[in-house]
Amino acid sequence: MSEREQWSSKLGFILAAAGSAIGLGAIWKFPYIAGQNGGGAFFLLFILFTLLLGLPLLLAEFVIGRTAQDNAVQAYKKIAPGTNWHWVGVLGMITSFVLLSFYAVIGGWILIYLFKAISGQLDGLTSEEFAVVFSNTIADPLLSVGFQLIFMLLTIIVVSRGIQKGIESASRFMMPALFLLFIILVIRAVTLEGALEGIQFILQPDFSKVTSQTLLEAMGQSFFTLSVGVSVMVTYSSYLPKNQSLPHAAVSIVSMNIFIVLLAGLAIFPAVFAYDLEPNAGPVLLFNVLPTVFNQLPFGMLFFIAFLILFLFAALTSAFSLLEIIISVISNGKPEHRIKWSWIIGLAIFILGVPSALSFGILSDVQIFGKSIFDFADYTVSNVLLPFGALLISIFVPLKMKRSLLYSEIKKGNWIKKGIFDAWYFTIRFIAPPLIILVMMDVLGIW
Ligand code: PFF
């Protein structure tokens, strides 16, 4: 184990794990899913699921990873040798593969906007014009697939260089900068004329809009934004030295995530209502609304460009983690395999993502179970694969890891009250599995 790379500092790990968590999920996906699910009630459910399930599961993945100090498949093999539990890791790899395939499409959209903003093509447009320019751009097969490819190439290059150099160093200053810019954006958005309705939309729960589908989407969203259920966090925490506190890391990541989701909601919805836009516009929501808000700021385009760079970075750090989990299993710690496999797998993911990219243009008529190809991929990952992975992890931990061992792993590096440990254990063992099953069954109509 001594040759395994380790994070150079605890902050490095937290930033990289937070980098995996904070990405398109909080900034792009949350606003549009919340917009489609009635706003405030969805936000509240999202917070509840994040605290009740997401946080305990994140900690569970950390514990698995650091106990085993191995990749997402080997970790389960080490803890439960001779069993089939390593399939949880394989499932995580498959989930990552599909997730990254459509994630890169949105990453490409950021690049498109960045390119357009820098080249002055967005100057002086009205909100309607932005929407038109944007939908025309993403409908263009060459542009959307081309930029999706560039996003994947960036991901491949960084992951093939190895975890330390690739991921840790840049996270240090980009994340705080993103927070700062978001705060400026929120201040502008909430002071727009007509903003109040948007603030109410996202902060005032209207439970009449809650259906079993809303519950599933809120649960899926909380797993998606925390990168839980994929064993990515198992992989990341396996690089963590033994003297660092896992609960501390988990709580910091969850708080940062909730904070950024709140900022995203408060940046988007006031503007949506102030400019009479549609809250349920779907995946294009953020891309239609944001430029309009930035336009209202002095030096708006400059701020917009800075925001896009940071947003791109947030998306990339999540993408790195998705590719990293697959590569760390396949290359099994051998650096000479890392480069080759990063390219092979990365390009395969790109190819799988092409139909998703085209589903906003030439393949827009293709429907799977009433959804576009993109929506179908996203829905399957968020509402089926992630909850299923999370369910298996919540069964695995109490079943295959001794309670005393869990306690000693969790209290390393920091003193935590036994009561907190007990509450976590109880949640993972008795609350998470039935709750996840219930929410999933309800929607499948089995209930
Ligand atoms: N948490 C990332 C986001 O919110 O954008 C997406 C993600 C990354 C999900 C890694 C799952 C994962 F394993």
Side-chain angles (χ1 to χ4, degrees):
M1 272 313 94
S2 57
E3 296 146 27
R4 278 179 65 79
E5 281 181 278
Q6 293 211 320
W7 301 99
S8 63
S9 68
K10 176 174 169 191
L11 190 67
F13 163 74
I14 292 190
L15 284 174
S20 167
I22 296 169
L24 296 176
I27 302 169
W28 153 80
K29 193 162 190 264
F30 171 78
Y32 100 74
I33 301 279
Q36 289 174 332
N37 284 283
F42 180 86
F43 181 50
L44 195 67
L45 285 170
F46 165 78
I47 304 263
L48 288 178
F49 278 120
T50 300
L51 296 177
L52 192 65
L53 296 179
L55 175 62
L57 275 157
L58 183 61
L59 187 53
E61 288 205 21
F62 282 168
V63 177
I64 298 171
R66 198 174 57 183
T67 304
Q69 307 249 318
D70 218 319
N71 67 49
V73 169
Q74 289 301 330
Y76 294 95
K77 278 198 182 154
K78 264 194 188 167
I79 294 174
T83 67
N84 280 322
W85 281 102
H86 62 280
W87 286 100
V88 178
V90 178
L91 175 74
M93 291 167 73
I94 296 169
T95 309
S96 292
F97 198 92
V98 182
L99 202 164
L100 187 49
S101 76
F102 68 81
Y103 206 83
V105 174
I106 310 297
W109 290 3
I110 306 175
L111 283 165
I112 291 178
Y113 249 168
L114 191 57
F115 174 74
K116 282 191 183 286
I118 292 175
S119 60
Q121 292 177 45
L122 301 178
D123 291 348
L125 299 185
T126 64
S127 58
E128 289 85 23
E129 287 166 339
F130 274 125
V132 174
V133 168
F134 189 66
S135 58
N136 287 343
T137 315
I138 59 174
D140 181 324
L142 259 177
L143 273 181
S144 56
V145 173
F147 280 96
Q148 172 208 355
L149 177 63
I150 299 177
F151 184 87
M152 272 317 295
L153 291 179
L154 292 171
T155 307
I156 293 169
I157 290 167
V158 173
V159 171
S160 64
R161 287 177 56 210
I163 188 161
Q164 290 272 11
K165 283 171 278 165
I167 302 170
E168 190 182 331
S169 48
S171 299
R172 271 166 207 274
F173 63 97
M174 298 291 259
M175 283 296 162
L178 179 67
F179 274 71
L180 198 73
L181 214 63
F182 241 124
I183 291 173
I184 297 175
L185 197 63
V186 168
I187 295 174
R188 179 62 273 207
V190 297
T191 50
L192 288 170
E193 205 176 314
L196 190 65
E197 210 184 326
I199 301 175
Q200 284 170 341
F201 177 80
I202 194 63
L203 294 184
Q204 233 174 44
D206 172 0
F207 288 103
S208 67
K209 301 219 171 95
V210 175
T211 61
S212 53
Q213 189 63 34
T214 321
L215 290 178
L216 181 68
E217 300 250 6
M219 184 173 82
Q221 177 67 22
S222 78
F223 294 157
F224 191 100
T225 48
L226 285 179
S227 308
V228 148
V230 195
S231 302
V232 155
M233 294 302 190
V234 169
T235 310
Y236 268 22
S237 57
S238 74
Y239 301 109
L240 191 64
K242 287 276 180 190
N243 59 356
Q244 308 296 356
S245 159
L246 298 179
H248 179 260
V251 169
S252 334
I253 290 165
V254 168
S255 337
M256 278 191 253
N257 218 40
I258 291 182
F259 187 52
I260 203 105
V261 160
L262 181 68
L263 291 179
L266 287 176
I268 302 288
F269 290 109
V272 167
F273 284 85
Y275 295 112
D276 252 345
L277 303 167
E278 277 300 317
N280 59 358
V284 293
L285 179 70
L286 178 94
F287 291 89
N288 286 346
V289 176
L290 271 193
T292 317
V293 187
F294 276 108
N295 251 350
Q296 303 298 316
L297 283 168
F299 307 108
M301 265 304 141
L302 276 184
F303 271 116
F304 189 41
I305 291 170
F307 176 84
L308 288 171
I309 293 173
L310 297 171
F311 185 27
L312 176 67
F313 180 79
L316 279 170
T317 51
S318 304
F320 300 158
S321 72
L322 288 162
L323 188 56
E324 173 64 30
I325 169 191
I326 304 174
I327 302 307
S328 64
V329 173
I330 297 185
S331 70
N332 210 0
K334 297 197 184 72
E336 63 282 14
H337 291 172
R338 178 173 269 279
I339 296 180
K340 179 179 82 188
W341 282 110
S342 301
W343 283 96
I344 295 174
I345 300 289
L347 291 176
I349 290 174
F350 160 71
I351 292 167
L352 180 70
V354 170
S356 288
L358 297 179
S359 70
F360 294 91
I362 52 175
L363 295 185
S364 61
D365 289 338
V366 181
Q367 301 264 308
I368 310 173
F369 294 116
K371 296 187 181 333
S372 73
I373 300 173
F374 179 95
D375 285 342
F376 178 72
D378 183 2
Y379 189 90
T380 308
V381 164
S382 308
N383 300 330
V384 181
L385 295 175
L386 290 180
F388 191 50
L391 172 66
L392 293 178
I393 289 169
S394 69
I395 297 173
F396 174 80
V397 168
L399 196 67
K400 290 290 162 194
M401 299 174 82
K402 280 219 184 72
R403 192 184 167 119
S404 54
L405 189 124
L406 291 169
Y407 183 50
S408 80
E409 191 61 56
I410 280 186
K411 69 179 192 203
K412 271 180 198 141
N414 198 1
W415 175 85
I416 76 152
K417 281 204 184 105
K418 181 81 172 34
I420 296 182
F421 170 80
D422 291 338
W424 169 77
Y425 189 82
F426 182 83
T427 312
I428 282 290
R429 184 163 183 181
F430 297 111
I431 297 184
L435 187 58
I436 298 174
I437 292 176
L438 212 75
V439 174
M440 286 181 82
M441 279 208 323
D442 196 22
V443 168
L444 290 176
I446 300 167
W447 184 233

